Amino acid sequence: MSKQATELRYAVRFRVVLKYLGQLCLVLAALTLVPLVMSVIFGDTHISLRYGIVIGGLVALGSGLARLPTPTSVQANEGMVLVALMFLLTPLVMAYPMMSSGLSYLDAFFESVSGVTTTGLSTLATLDGAPSSFLFGRAWMQWYGGLGIVVLSLALVIQPGLLAKNLAVNETEAEDLVGGTKAHTQRVLNVYVALTVIGITGSMLVGLGLFDAVLYTFAAVSTGGFAPHDDSLARFGWPAQTWITLLCLAGAVPLTMYHRMFRKKKGTRVDVFQLWAVVLAAAVVTLLLGASMRMRGGLSWMQVFHMAPQLAVSAQSTAGFSSMSCSQLDPDSKLAVIFSMIVGGGAGSTAGGFKLLRLLIAASVFRLIIVRTCLPRHAVIEPRLAGRRLQGDEIQEALLLIFLYVAVVAVSWLQFVASGYDPLDSLFEVVSATGTVGLSVGITSADLPAPLKGVLCADMLMGRLEIIAWLVMLFPGTWFGKRMETK
């Protein structure tokens, strides 16, 4: 790092981090009131008591910290640290009520991490006999986890460009993390609630009961995938499966697109571009899966037409629902799903993965490199995407994040292979966790060694916050060095 950059670097201000952490604790306490009320309604008083203790602790902590003096601005590293701390604190405290269903703290923490990161992996062998409060609590964590990552996504944008533009922020909001996040929250919350209401209503119309309709909708619009039944979508007929799959697709495109379409009657070119990119990617994966299922898996055409589109959308949207066991997939089908899971959905959506937009940015750069070999030396050509010239910083960010995702997957995969697990199945499980998908070939279970459960928890947390926030947390310069004066 250059001397000039070192001199200009500011460490986080602890008062700023603690103040806004306190405010977010109060928000989490308010959100936890919902499962508390539901546990009282279901008569699970032992779970209600645990939720009450969690709420009391969050309110006590948040009330004290939130009174600290308010700064005029929040630094980029402070925003990333705050988001990372909240995604770590939430499962740490929510594991306590999860334990009331007979889980050890490690398994309850795994379940909570999977919930708040909208992944959907579970160590539970069966959900038969699980308390309704437990099932609702998991689904509710996914719902507000999906909302939280979209709301707080402004703090995770490294550089302005297509990604910031896709969040519907203007230059002033991009510079002001506090004001920009509040404005972004108002836009996203209306869309998210509307999708949820539409999802619940539609689910009941296609035959789901109220409880199932709520839980499947929570998991679908958040692209989470926690189902309240062991057989996920397989228990329902094709109308219900189709509706829930469409909800997953709706959550995998930028939520601000709906806001812009409602307010301006049309979306931006980036919105439309990402929408069609997600649909086209799911269609391509459907064709690959269909061909492999038919030729390698020996499935009938009726099974292929039913299962391939549903699994493709589930993987591309990173929702993780399934109407068949992924352990039954042939190797080629597993590879197709693996690629789809790590790429994920649109930027600014609830989907995981490193995002289709970044893959297309990288593809645009590689295409430009090839095209330049056919041009005169003096020719000037710039990388463009969706009608917009790509900036050098956003190209570097896209390539960096793709590399980081691959690196995290590689390191985690090696640990599973070293423990004796099948290489392809290990890759499937690790990519599913890092892409926050939740599809499983059966490796994730209560019998999985504790260190490997920890690996998957780390993968889910890193994948949900796109890794950079955690690197900022671990960077010594984030915590040590000169600090900007708090005004």
Side-chain angles (χ1 to χ4, degrees), residues 119-134:
T119 302
L121 284 174
S122 177
T123 61
L124 296 176
T126 180
L127 294 174
D128 291 340
S132 297
S133 298
F134 172 80

Side-chain angles (χ1 to χ4, degrees), residues 17-229:
V17 172
L18 291 175
K19 176 189 173 58
Y20 288 103
L21 180 64
Q23 291 185 355
L24 291 173
C25 283
L26 293 177
V27 172
L28 181 58
L31 289 169
T32 309
L33 286 172
V34 175
L36 169 63
V37 172
M38 294 304 298
S39 65
V40 171
I41 293 174
F42 291 130
D44 298 322
T45 53
H46 60 296
I47 299 179
S48 303
L49 177 62
R50 290 177 178 249
Y51 275 124
I53 292 173
V54 168
I55 292 172
L58 289 171
V59 169
L61 176 64
S63 298
L65 296 179
R67 290 193 177 95
L68 293 173
T70 305
T72 56
S73 63
V74 175
Q75 298 167 189
N77 57 354
E78 292 167 346
M80 291 189 179
V81 166
L82 279 167
V83 177
L85 286 176
M86 279 309 299
F87 270 84
L88 184 59
L89 174 65
T90 300
L92 283 173
V93 298
M94 289 305 161
Y96 181 60
M98 290 285 114
M99 291 174 64
S100 60
S101 298
L103 300 177
S104 66
Y105 182 80
L106 176 59
D107 286 346
F109 177 72
F110 187 99
E111 210 78 10
S112 300
V113 170
S114 187
V116 76
T117 60
T118 72
T119 302
L121 284 174
S122 177
T123 61
L124 296 176
T126 180
L127 294 174
D128 291 340
S132 297
S133 298
F134 172 80
L135 298 175
F136 182 88
R138 295 195 321 165
W140 179 248
M141 271 195 293
Q142 288 201 323
W143 189 85
Y144 69 67
L147 175 64
I149 195 59
V150 179
V151 164
L152 298 173
S153 55
L154 185 59
L156 299 176
V157 174
I158 304 172
Q159 295 289 343
L162 276 180
L163 292 175
K165 184 179 180 63
N166 190 67
L167 297 176
V169 299
N170 54 42
E171 185 175 348
T172 301
E173 291 176 354
E175 293 294 330
D176 178 12
L177 279 182
V178 178
T181 298
K182 288 180 179 178
H184 184 53
T185 300
Q186 294 174 353
R187 289 189 286 263
V188 168
L189 184 59
N190 292 335
V191 171
Y192 203 64
V193 171
L195 283 177
T196 302
V197 172
I198 293 171
I200 293 173
T201 304
S203 296
M204 296 180 67
L205 291 176
V206 295
L208 273 67
L210 177 59
F211 186 71
D212 279 350
V214 171
L215 267 59
Y216 275 99
T217 297
F218 282 174
V221 298
S222 66
T223 63
F226 264 150
H229 305 287

Side-chain angles (χ1 to χ4, degrees), residues 301-362:
W301 282 114
M302 185 63 69
Q303 290 174 311
V304 168
F305 290 143
H306 173 70
M307 295 179 179
Q310 190 273 322
L311 183 58
V313 173
S314 185
Q316 197 68 56
S317 67
T318 71
F321 287 121
S322 178
S323 57
M324 66 176 294
S325 173
C326 291
S327 61
Q328 300 173 358
L329 293 174
D330 60 272
D332 291 345
S333 295
K334 288 179 181 178
L335 287 173
V337 173
I338 286 170
F339 182 75
S340 181
M341 290 191 297
I342 196 171
V343 173
S349 71
T350 61
F354 59 68
K355 305 297 186 296
L356 260 174
L357 185 61
R358 292 193 177 99
L359 179 64
L360 294 172
I361 289 174

